[in-house]
């Protein structure tokens, strides 16, 4: 029998016996088993981070007509004024609420507003721009910024028509325009071969006509069209050409078109930067609106 000597501490066997050691091991095991669920709870309680985006790329939805012209084609002088041309503008969300009475007083008689991009974006200022231009007396239309790398041509045509790109024969509404130009978010030709690009454009145009009864206007630049479609000539007989060229002369047109219907000639105009010439007097603008 152990004897306790005065002056020495008496150890308690209750903390160091085999049962206590087993309880300690079981407690440690329980903590280890609980850790995964604790960690999962912590992870699921944290907000999910947005996908990483290259810092050089603008955000999706921010593209606008003529965005790639100066970087790729440069700019020169301004065209000489001609009585047989009619001044117009094109706008997007970058312009916000547009001063339409000011533009009307300056001689602008027609306008296009960006309605959509891809199948993921609608212009939040579209109503003010589309209806505001109409309300001051302008002949107006809507355009779609194409992103052939995201969805098919027919799908994007439907999205466009469903979000402002339709047409009505009221003498004041122009057919929708397909803005097909350099990709601001990546590869200039959206990763497509020339033949695949032609197919994508054809699908868009065919579906737009099926939905509205009108042939859409094609907005493009000659250098992009040559690079990305192989200078395809097959749309010229039906689709009016809206050419982008910031210079004193329009220059060479894409294959098939012997003349342009509209010409975006500058991004530095007064009130609204993007200014255009319609190749004809105002009665020709009305004729295009009426179909």
């Amino acid at each position: 029998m152990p004897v306790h000597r005065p002056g020495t501490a008496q150890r308690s066997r209750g903390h160091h016996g085999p049962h206590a050691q087993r309880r300690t091991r079981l407690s440690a095991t329980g903590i280890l088993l609980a850790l995964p669920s604790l960690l999962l709870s912590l992870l699921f309680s944290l907000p999910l981070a947005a996908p990483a985006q290259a810092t050089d790329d603008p955000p999706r939805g921010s593209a606008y007509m003529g965005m790639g012209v100066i970087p790729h084609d440069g700019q020169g002088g301004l065209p000489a004024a001609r009585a047989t041309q009619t001044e117009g503008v094109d706008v997007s969300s970058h312009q916000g609420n547009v001063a339409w009475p000011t533009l009307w007083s300056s001689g602008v008689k027609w306008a296009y507003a960006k309605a959509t991009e891809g199948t993921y974006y609608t212009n939040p200022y579209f109503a003010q721009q589309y209806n505001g231009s109409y309300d001051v007396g302008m002949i107006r239309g809507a355009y779609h910024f194409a992103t052939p790398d995201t969805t098919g041509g027919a799908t994007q045509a439907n999205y466009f028509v469903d979000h402002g790109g339709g047409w009505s024969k009221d003498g004041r509404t122009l057919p929708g325009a397909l803005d097909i130009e350099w990709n601001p978010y990546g590869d200039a030709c959206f990763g497509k071969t020339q033949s695949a690009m032609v197919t994508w454009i054809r699908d868009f145009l065919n579906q737009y006509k099926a939905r509205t009864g009108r042939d859409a206007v094609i907005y493009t630049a000659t250098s992009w069209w040559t690079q990305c479609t192989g200078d395809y000539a097959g749309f010229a007989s039906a689709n009016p050409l809206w050419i982008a060229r910031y210079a004193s002369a329009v220059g060479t047109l894409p294959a098939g078109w012997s003349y342009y219907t509209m010409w975006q000639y500058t991004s530095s105009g007064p009130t609204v930067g993007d200014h255009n010439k319609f190749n004809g007097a105002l009665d020709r603008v009305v004729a295009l609106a009426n179909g």
Side-chain angles (χ1 to χ4, degrees), residues 265-290:
Y265 67 88
T266 185
S267 61
S268 303
T271 310
V272 166
D274 292 353
H275 273 247
N276 305 268
K277 302 286 186 186
F278 192 96
N279 196 9
L282 184 59
D283 66 320
R284 303 316 304 157
V285 185
V286 174
L288 179 61
N290 281 326

Side-chain angles (χ1 to χ4, degrees), residues 7-121:
T8 64
Q10 185 175 13
R11 293 184 299 176
S12 172
R13 292 177 61 187
H15 295 294
H16 299 281
H19 294 293
Q21 292 173 4
R22 184 181 176 192
R23 284 197 300 270
T24 302
R25 287 195 297 269
L26 288 172
S27 299
T29 302
I31 292 171
L32 289 173
L33 289 171
L35 277 175
S37 59
L38 288 171
L39 289 171
L40 285 172
S41 299
L42 180 61
L43 286 172
F44 280 114
S45 67
L46 294 173
L48 293 175
Q53 181 174 335
T55 55
D56 292 340
D57 291 342
R60 286 274 179 177
S62 64
Y64 53 88
M65 188 174 277
M67 189 173 186
V69 174
I70 292 176
H72 293 273
D73 274 358
Q75 60 182 331
L78 296 174
R82 291 170 53 189
T84 55
Q85 292 182 328
T86 308
E87 194 75 8
V89 295
D90 60 90
V91 295
S92 67
S93 63
H94 292 272
Q95 281 78 29
N97 291 322
V98 176
W100 293 113
T102 302
L103 284 165
W104 176 261
S105 299
S106 72
V108 174
K109 301 304 178 188
W110 60 276
Y112 268 86
K114 179 182 177 181
T116 51
E117 176 179 323
T119 52
Y120 51 80
Y121 174 85

